[in-house]
Amino acid sequence: MTTQATSNAAGGHAASRPYVPARPSIPLDDGLLADRFNKFEQGARKIRWDDQGPVQIDWSIFDRSRLTLDNLLVVKLVTFVESYADVYTSLLLENFCINDTMATFFQLWEREESNHAEKLVKYLETVGLDREDLRVALQRPRSRKFTVPYIQTPLQANCFTYCQELLTAFFYQMFRRTVQEPLLNEILVKIIADEWRHFHWYENVLKMHLETDRKKTLEECIPVFENFAMPGNQILGSEYEIITDEIIKRLRFSTSEIFQIGRTITSTFGLIDGGRMMARSSYARNMKDVVMRKKAPKPHHEEIVHSFIADLVKALGASPA
């Protein structure tokens, strides 16, 4: 049976899309989920900062003199990922949506992630990137189909997005510590608040699964941790991994960030099971190799990095060195 998600809970602005409900491997209490979403949305409305929201950004505080090339490198990369939100949302709605509440949340999530992309694009244009060149570049990866072979159930899709939102929130936090430019700092404060709200939604859904059937929940989540890679790998291919490794080195990320992420995961799954999740995580091992300088650069690393930042160097009037 095809149903439709209501747009009212998302503030009346999200477009309603039809979906075919997926069969959950662990059924949840639909009424409890709906109650939790209503509380989530009530809080979100107060801080929403898209064009229809009550909070607006003062773009006049931009200070080019306090902006660095490394800052722009990160902004450009995350703009590609944020711009892909609608494609990813379509995958969730078409394959992993269990009821109207989750459908409404997915569309709210898309609305907020799309706002991140719009504001980051506007920021890059403010810096001096060409609007049409940027539009074409962001459109390029959208022809690629987003597929994750190790996600087969709604629970696994939730676990994947839990990992994605957790890592995204931490990444933005670590990045913000390096930023001195006031406008970018203000944008990042708002993005970070959104990402943590999104993470806690997915975390609470995971905890509902754990409370209902802990053994089966862990069984389904383990393959996600073992195989997890950020969506950027699908959006930009090998270029994403190269640029991400470059950012981790430039911004001097360390193993302390990995431990902080681990503490959050053990808070969700428990000390023993969460520790096992981290130990089996391919992503954690890869990040550790990068920060410990044990990972060999991929072929054409320098060439790809220089190509990626060429327009940033031109806009900033900086040297790529």
Side-chain angles (χ1 to χ4, degrees):
M1 178 179 70
T2 300
T3 68
Q4 285 197 327
T6 62
S7 61
N8 291 335
H13 298 288
S16 183
R17 299 187 198 170
Y19 72 96
V20 177
R23 178 178 297 177
S25 49
I26 301 176
L28 298 180
D29 184 327
D30 289 353
L32 178 59
L33 190 67
D35 287 343
R36 290 184 176 181
F37 175 79
N38 288 335
K39 293 177 182 177
F40 174 92
E41 166 56 14
Q42 287 171 13
R45 289 183 185 181
K46 298 176 183 178
I47 62 171
R48 188 153 292 136
W49 54 291
D50 58 17
D51 292 341
Q52 294 80 37
V55 179
Q56 298 298 312
I57 290 177
D58 179 6
W59 291 85
S60 69
I61 64 175
F62 175 64
D63 184 351
R64 181 182 296 274
S65 67
R66 303 181 72 181
L67 184 62
T68 70
L69 182 59
D70 287 350
N71 291 162
L72 286 180
L73 170 61
V74 179
V75 172
K76 183 178 178 181
L77 181 66
V78 297
T79 301
F80 274 95
V81 179
E82 300 281 8
S83 298
Y84 206 75
D86 59 328
V87 179
Y88 185 43
T89 302
S90 294
L91 172 73
L92 293 173
L93 285 170
E94 291 169 9
N95 298 281
F96 302 113
C97 189
I98 59 173
N99 57 29
D100 280 3
T101 298
M102 288 303 297
T104 306
F105 172 79
F106 288 150
Q107 292 176 93
L108 169 63
W109 179 68
E110 177 191 351
R111 172 185 172 182
E112 296 186 347
E113 296 289 347
S114 295
N115 179 55
H116 298 173
E118 291 169 7
K119 297 303 188 292
L120 291 169
V121 166
K122 184 175 179 179
Y123 185 82
L124 290 172
E125 292 175 357
T126 300
V127 172
L129 267 68
D130 182 83
R131 177 178 300 184
E132 182 61 18
D133 289 347
L134 188 56
R135 185 194 67 80
V136 171
L138 292 172
Q139 191 66 27
R140 174 169 49 89
R142 296 175 64 81
S143 60
R144 299 175 183 172
K145 185 177 180 181
F146 191 93
T147 57
V148 187
Y150 52 90
I151 294 180
Q152 301 294 325
T153 69
L155 169 55
Q156 289 180 324
N158 190 94
C159 184
F160 178 89
T161 316
Y162 163 96
C163 293
Q164 173 197 329
E165 294 295 294
L166 173 61
L167 292 166
T168 300
F170 263 106
F171 180 82
Y172 275 124
Q173 278 189 181
M174 292 184 286
F175 172 43
R176 180 175 169 256
R177 294 174 194 151
T178 72
V179 171
Q180 298 297 318
E181 199 286 298
L183 175 58
L184 180 56
N185 181 73
E186 181 67 17
I187 293 171
L188 290 174
V189 167
K190 290 177 169 52
I191 291 178
I192 290 167
D194 286 348
E195 299 294 359
W196 276 121
R197 284 190 302 103
H198 299 163
F199 165 75
H200 286 303
W201 169 263
Y202 288 109
E203 180 185 42
N204 285 331
V205 175
L206 268 182
K207 286 182 176 180
M208 290 180 68
H209 284 96
L210 287 165
E211 291 165 2
T212 303
D213 190 332
R214 184 174 185 84
K215 181 180 179 182
K216 185 166 180 56
T217 299
L218 294 172
E219 287 174 352
E220 290 200 32
C221 288
I222 285 173
V224 178
F225 276 83
E226 289 179 333
N227 297 283
F228 181 81
M230 288 292 279
N233 288 276
Q234 296 226 9
I235 299 169
L236 290 174
S238 60
E239 183 180 13
Y240 177 84
E241 186 175 352
I242 289 171
I243 301 300
T244 301
D245 290 352
E246 182 70 16
I247 288 170
I248 290 173
K249 288 188 295 183
R250 289 191 181 207
L251 300 187
R252 298 193 177 110
F253 292 169
S254 68
T255 52
S256 65
E257 278 81 33
I258 302 174
F259 293 135
Q260 291 178 48
I261 293 169
R263 282 196 291 270
T264 306
I265 292 171
T266 56
S267 175
T268 303
F269 291 95
L271 185 60
I272 295 175
D273 292 320
R276 289 173 179 167
M277 295 286 191
M278 280 294 292
R280 299 175 75 160
S281 169
S282 59
Y283 188 91
R285 290 195 301 272
N286 179 70
M287 185 176 176
K288 182 180 179 181
D289 287 344
V290 174
V291 300
M292 298 295 290
R293 304 295 195 267
K294 293 181 179 180
K295 183 178 179 180
K298 286 185 173 293
H300 310 295
H301 177 103
E302 294 299 326
E303 177 184 340
I304 289 172
V305 171
H306 278 266
S307 175
F308 192 82
I309 66 175
D311 56 345
L312 308 178
V313 172
K314 181 179 178 181
L316 195 60
S319 167

